[in-house]
Amino acid sequence: MSTTYYFAIVGATDSPLYEAEFGIHRAENTHLHQFVVHAALDLVEDALFLTNACYLKTVDKYNDWNVSAYVTPSNVRLMLLHEARSEDSIRSFFTDCHEFYIKTLMNPFYEPNSPILSQAFDTKINTLAKKYLL
Amino acid sequence: MATQAGNLLKLDTRVSKRSNMLLEQSTAKPRRDKVGLGAFAFLLAEIIRYSQNRVLGIQDLEAKMNEIGKRVGIRVFELMMWREKSVHRETRVLQTLVFINTVVWRALFEKQADSLGRSTENDDEYMITDNEPAVLKYISVPKEMSSFSPGAFLAGIVEAIAECCQCPARVTSHLVPAEGMPLKTVILLKFDKEVMDREKRLDSGK
């Protein structure tokens, strides 16, 4: 089994702001990843009011895959589709991604809840993935 | 065609070199984080003057200031939450209001908001009072526009934060000059019905 990860940032208005795949991935599974993560959004909303924490661990399971979520204070969701993986590394990954999201948000020309198109952001997320996930 | 594509590619890497700087900066509190009041007052006055030329009435002007405040509010909120000891989310009305009163006001104006109260007539109205909002000190309202409250900018900030915390509200600001405090501003939050219903459910659940 190849270790593949699908990472998505979903804005407060439920539109995807950023997507990335890490690890070895087969082209035909991309759509399935998107679908599973999208379906998991409802479960994130349910878990939203039960806790004050940002990191909601695994909210959904689909066959072998788990969907973990992290919600920022302004209701932007960072979702990760992964196979079984230690919680700590995923938590650190999410925290660092949150920090990069805040830095992107600080840009006065970045419209909140619009897609993140910066090449530098992409590079940073890939570096984080190499550091914590692969 | 190839050269055109080549030029576009070059442009992208130039942009990303500059935007690299944004992602390298630190999110910790910097040593020099204050802006001169004069500079800010000048900017705010110019913003109001600019908006006045593009709106058709007092309500529109307040709405425009509100929108500008929203853009500030969402950024201030995320950054302040990040700098807190433990990063967490707020979902309850009271905690959100206390956070706005203390942390956000302290970050923006170096002092806490002067009071937080709940309206006696309506259950869903809360008020944040600021006796002398520094940013409004140099804005003067002519008599023919006396119903315009320059605190609409502050109302926008508060409205953005309320929305982030899942407690959407209609936020308006009102000037209530009092003894020795000609600029006393009250920010009134009227929470949506679903927020109050949820609060009741969560309260009774406990």
Side-chain angles (χ1 to χ4, degrees):
Chain A
M1 276 302 251
S2 51
T3 38
T4 68
Y5 300 90
Y6 172 77
F7 174 64
I9 302 184
V10 182
T13 49
D14 286 340
S15 54
L17 307 183
Y18 177 78
E19 296 173 305
E21 295 226 28
F22 313 122
I24 325 152
H25 53 90
R26 285 177 284 254
E28 70 264 13
N29 273 348
T30 314
H31 302 295
L32 188 59
H33 294 327
Q34 239 183 15
F35 191 75
V36 173
V37 166
H38 197 259
L41 281 178
D42 280 336
L43 291 155
V44 173
E45 275 211 37
D46 283 341
L48 213 54
F49 292 105
L50 298 175
T51 165
N52 256 14
C54 280
Y55 179 49
L56 317 165
K57 308 184 183 129
T58 301
V59 296
D60 194 16
K61 286 197 193 2
Y62 177 79
N63 290 349
D64 294 328
W65 292 326
N66 300 353
V67 180
S68 293
Y70 179 100
V71 185
T72 72
S74 63
N75 205 24
V76 167
R77 283 143 288 189
L78 313 176
M79 316 276 293
L80 183 68
L81 183 76
H82 59 94
E83 286 139 27
R85 183 77 203 190
S86 78
E87 259 183 29
D88 284 334
S89 52
I90 297 190
R91 187 199 296 259
S92 328
F93 176 71
F94 275 144
T95 316
D96 284 350
C97 282
H98 184 195
E99 191 170 358
F100 283 128
Y101 173 70
I102 291 183
K103 292 180 187 175
T104 309
L105 191 63
M106 287 300 123
N107 180 1
F109 294 112
Y110 170 71
E111 193 65 46
N113 285 324
S114 66
I116 303 177
L117 303 169
S118 156
Q119 185 82 299
F121 185 79
D122 195 30
T123 318
K124 290 281 182 182
I125 301 287
N126 275 311
T127 321
L128 282 185
K130 282 198 197 74
K131 183 170 160 198
Y132 289 116
L133 300 177
L134 297 173
Chain B
M1 276 298 277
T3 43
Q4 270 178 346
N7 286 341
L8 285 173
L9 224 59
K10 276 206 204 95
L11 192 65
D12 189 35
T13 50
R14 271 210 303 272
V15 164
S16 72
K17 270 206 200 103
R18 242 176 274 136
S19 62
N20 249 337
M21 289 306 300
L22 176 65
L23 294 174
E24 308 291 347
Q25 292 188 12
S26 145
T27 50
K29 195 175 154 85
R31 295 247 318 282
R32 291 188 59 207
D33 60 345
K34 294 201 227 312
V35 176
L37 181 59
F40 186 78
F42 183 60
L43 184 64
L44 191 62
E46 196 54 37
I47 289 176
I48 295 184
R49 201 179 64 79
Y50 179 87
S51 312
Q52 260 184 313
N53 287 340
R54 283 161 174 75
V55 295
L56 305 161
I58 296 183
Q59 302 295 84
D60 272 343
L61 186 58
E62 288 203 354
K64 228 184 175 63
M65 300 302 296
N66 196 307
E67 202 182 299
I68 295 179
K70 275 215 190 86
R71 294 171 60 89
V72 175
I74 185 170
R75 291 169 165 95
V76 158
F77 180 59
E78 272 276 2
L79 196 57
M80 290 308 124
M81 273 295 192
W82 179 256
R83 288 182 183 165
E84 284 277 289
K85 288 179 282 293
S86 67
V87 183
H88 63 292
R89 295 172 299 109
E90 297 290 355
T91 42
R92 304 298 306 274
V93 162
L94 204 54
Q95 265 127 356
T96 308
L97 292 172
V98 167
F99 185 78
I100 296 176
N101 249 33
T102 52
V103 182
V104 177
W105 235 251
R106 241 207 315 257
L108 293 173
F109 312 120
E110 292 263 291
K111 60 169 190 170
Q112 294 190 7
D114 291 305
S115 85
L116 171 66
R118 186 178 192 169
S119 152
T120 37
E121 295 116 46
N122 307 330
D123 252 351
D124 53 357
E125 285 185 357
Y126 286 78
M127 301 170 298
I128 297 179
T129 320
D130 195 339
N131 287 339
E132 201 186 325
V135 296
L136 305 183
K137 210 157 120 177
Y138 299 108
I139 311 286
S140 53
V141 185
K143 242 196 250 198
E144 58 264 19
M145 294 178 60
S146 56
S147 68
F148 170 64
S149 168
F153 178 65
L154 298 172
I157 298 180
V158 175
E159 184 163 350
I161 299 180
E163 192 175 323
C164 286
C165 294
Q166 310 285 80
C167 310
R170 260 199 324 259
V171 186
T172 48
S173 89
H174 305 273
L175 212 62
V176 283
E179 197 54 57
M181 300 184 284
L183 282 178
K184 181 165 168 184
T185 311
V186 168
I187 300 180
L188 188 68
L189 295 96
K190 193 173 170 69
F191 287 102
D192 287 354
K193 187 166 179 314
E194 50 194 34
V195 178
M196 300 320 293
D197 287 342
R198 192 180 66 214
E199 285 290 306
K200 277 204 203 83
R201 261 206 330 268
L202 287 170
D203 275 335
S204 61
K206 293 222 180 84

